[in-house]
Amino acid sequence: MAVTLINVFSVPKGQEEAFVKWWEDVKADITAQPGFISGKFHRSLKPDSKFNFINIAIWENEEIYWKAYEKSVTPMQAKLAQLGVEMVPALYRVAFEYRSNVQARVLGTDRCRLWNTSQARRLCSMPGRSTSNC
């Protein structure tokens, strides 16, 4: 069963660009690991956030993730220490999913609440969409 890695980083002021460049370099190794599915790297909109970067990655299962972690953790920790970066990783499983009512209606879900926005009307008027459902 797939697991989600949520890894938060506290990057000191002045080290942000070096951290991003390093992460872009590390990304090639991560994406080549067996069991890696996908990832998204986020930067806080507020530079003074304690955790100003977050990596979210999906792995095939927990065992595969830990094998990849053991392979890469030592060099990663050395570089993070050099940059003064605090890293807090944790694995999660999806408890449940949710979507906006607009997206659910457009995707054909019939358990939508009534909504009345111009965006919803535009989405329902797209070719192939029935306006009777809107």
Side-chain angles (χ1 to χ4, degrees), residues 57-119:
I58 310 298
W59 290 81
E60 284 182 12
N61 62 52
E62 188 175 358
E63 180 182 345
I64 288 174
Y65 166 76
W66 286 116
K67 285 181 184 177
Y69 177 85
E70 289 171 12
K71 181 179 176 183
S72 63
V73 68
T74 302
M76 283 184 74
Q77 285 180 335
K79 183 62 176 182
L80 293 173
Q82 178 187 352
L83 294 171
V85 173
E86 175 189 355
M87 174 178 77
V88 182
L91 287 179
Y92 298 85
R93 284 210 168 79
V94 174
F96 62 88
E97 293 186 30
Y98 54 97
R99 297 182 179 176
S100 75
N101 291 335
V102 172
Q103 185 179 13
R105 174 66 74 181
V106 169
L107 293 174
T109 303
D110 43 2
R111 293 184 184 172
C112 299
R113 290 192 168 97
L114 180 64
W115 37 262
N116 186 19
T117 67
S118 60
Q119 181 184 18

Side-chain angles (χ1 to χ4, degrees), residues 41-59:
F41 188 71
H42 303 264
R43 185 177 197 158
S44 175
L45 297 176
K46 296 184 176 187
D48 59 342
S49 296
K50 175 171 174 50
F51 296 108
N52 44 358
F53 292 89
I54 298 176
N55 177 51
I56 300 175
I58 310 298
W59 290 81

Side-chain angles (χ1 to χ4, degrees), residues 11 14-25 79 83:
V11 180
Q15 295 294 339
E16 297 93 345
E17 297 312 314
F19 176 72
V20 170
K21 182 182 180 331
W22 170 76
W23 191 260
E24 287 173 349
D25 294 341
K79 183 62 176 182
L83 294 171

